[in-house]
Amino acid sequence: MLALIVGFAAVYSAFSIIASWIQESIAGAVKLRSKTLISGLEAMLDDPNNKAVVDALRGQLLQQPSIAAAYDSKGRPPSYISSNQFSLAVTGMLGAGGAISATAGEAFTQVSNGINGMQASRLKDALNRVANQAAGDYSAFVGGVEKWFDDEMDRVSGWYRRQSQVILVFIAIATVAFFNLDSITLFSQLRTAPLVIDASKLTDNAQGYTYVTAQVLQNIKFGWFPDPAVCPPAPPPTPAKPAPLPCHKLGDSGDWASYAFFKLLGLAVSALALMLGAPFWFDALGRFVSVRNTGDVPKKSSAGS
């Protein structure tokens, strides 16, 4: 049972890496991260009653040096900005980024005047609340703006994860279909090819994972030609009868309805497993494989060398 669990975790983690790499490549090609970031910034400024004001504020915010410098040479927006970059942009919009020698009190006065001079909008309301909570403390105001940004970006990260998950669903389906990663067939192969591990090679996490995964994959057959779900086990050759061909053509098992049902079921289970992601399966593999066969490394004494 342990060998089966390790085998499944190793196979799923390996193919999850492939699916995740494809997903990240697609996300990069369509600039999903940067588009989601810009959408998040626009949502922070959004006000359905003042569209013209929102457009103006968006332009001012994105043109601030701390954000404009994050654009690449081709004018593509950044995938990430820090809370510090955002607070610098906001204070710059409010006129508090001009004089280097300004005291904290003077900077807060400039911020207050900048907020009061803004047209009515959700951004003005939000900054008013942050300024009121700061109670004249410029550092507290900057910290409040950064906390507001971090809270909003947590929500934006949720948007990105949901969009990425949708992409990953289609990639997982395509991956298991392309490689014929059938969990039912995989179960049968793992049962007939027991996992043998050389404990001396499990020296650290990275090498241990790589070694175990390689040991599993080299004994597993993938692909459609031949399909391991259809190929019957070949009898051992004898002097009077040479070894048969490796496999018969697809469908020689006879019962197409049964084959199709179990094939689709096995592929569906594999697709669902890949959707869990590589980190999940690496963690599962780490729980069932003792990477150090001699136990944990003893802690060093604080007094010793």
Side-chain angles (χ1 to χ4, degrees):
M1 182 59 68
L2 180 60
L4 284 172
I5 294 173
V6 171
F8 274 110
V11 172
Y12 290 152
S13 63
F15 283 92
S16 293
I17 291 175
I18 296 175
S20 297
W21 176 79
I22 297 173
Q23 185 269 328
E24 287 296 330
S25 299
I26 293 175
V30 301
K31 305 178 184 64
L32 182 60
R33 289 187 185 276
S34 58
K35 289 179 179 178
T36 306
L37 173 64
I38 297 301
S39 297
L41 293 176
E42 291 175 344
M44 296 176 71
L45 307 176
D46 187 30
D47 191 338
N49 300 320
N50 296 280
K51 286 297 184 183
V53 174
V54 169
D55 291 339
L57 291 173
R58 177 182 180 276
Q60 293 177 33
L61 181 68
L62 297 181
Q63 289 171 9
Q64 291 298 314
S66 61
I67 295 181
Y71 281 69
D72 65 13
S73 58
K74 296 182 180 180
R76 289 177 294 199
S79 299
Y80 305 94
I81 63 171
S82 67
S83 57
N84 180 250
Q85 287 175 295
F86 180 75
S87 65
L88 288 173
V90 170
T91 53
M93 288 174 58
L94 299 175
I100 296 177
S101 60
T103 65
E106 292 171 341
F108 188 85
T109 300
Q110 292 175 347
V111 164
S112 300
N113 292 336
I115 295 174
N116 292 331
M118 294 175 63
Q119 298 185 49
S121 64
R122 288 183 177 176
L123 178 61
K124 181 177 181 177
D125 294 338
L127 294 178
N128 262 325
R129 288 193 293 271
V130 175
N132 289 334
Q133 291 178 351
D137 187 341
Y138 179 72
S139 297
F141 174 79
V142 172
V145 171
E146 293 181 352
K147 184 178 185 305
W148 174 44
F149 174 80
D150 289 336
D151 291 341
E152 291 296 322
M153 287 303 105
D154 287 341
R155 186 162 59 99
V156 172
S157 297
W159 298 352
Y160 178 79
R161 285 193 296 269
R162 285 192 292 272
Q163 295 177 74
S164 298
Q165 192 64 33
V166 172
I167 297 175
L168 186 60
V169 168
F170 292 100
I171 293 174
I173 294 172
T175 300
V176 300
F178 181 81
F179 288 102
N180 188 18
L181 184 59
D182 178 355
S183 289
I184 296 177
T185 303
L186 179 60
F187 175 81
S188 176
Q189 293 188 66
L190 291 173
R191 285 285 302 273
T192 56
L195 181 62
V196 179
I197 296 178
D198 182 357
S200 65
K201 296 185 179 181
L202 304 179
T203 57
D204 56 49
N205 284 355
Q207 182 176 342
Y209 291 152
T210 303
Y211 169 70
V212 171
T213 303
Q215 288 295 105
V216 173
L217 293 180
Q218 70 181 1
N219 294 322
I220 301 299
K221 295 181 176 63
F222 300 105
W224 292 94
F225 305 103
D227 181 358
V230 175
C231 301
T238 62
K241 185 177 180 181
L245 294 176
C247 187
H248 301 290
K249 65 181 180 179
L250 185 67
D252 279 355
S253 59
D255 188 354
W256 272 94
S258 177
Y259 164 77
F261 173 78
F262 286 105
K263 172 60 67 176
L264 291 175
L265 178 61
L267 294 176
V269 171
S270 297
L272 291 173
L274 265 58
M275 291 175 199
L276 295 175
F280 175 88
W281 291 111
F282 273 119
D283 182 65
L285 192 59
R287 290 177 182 274
F288 289 101
V289 176
S290 178
V291 177
R292 288 187 179 271
N293 63 321
T294 57
D296 295 333
V297 178
K299 295 182 179 180
K300 295 182 178 180
S301 170
S302 57
S305 57

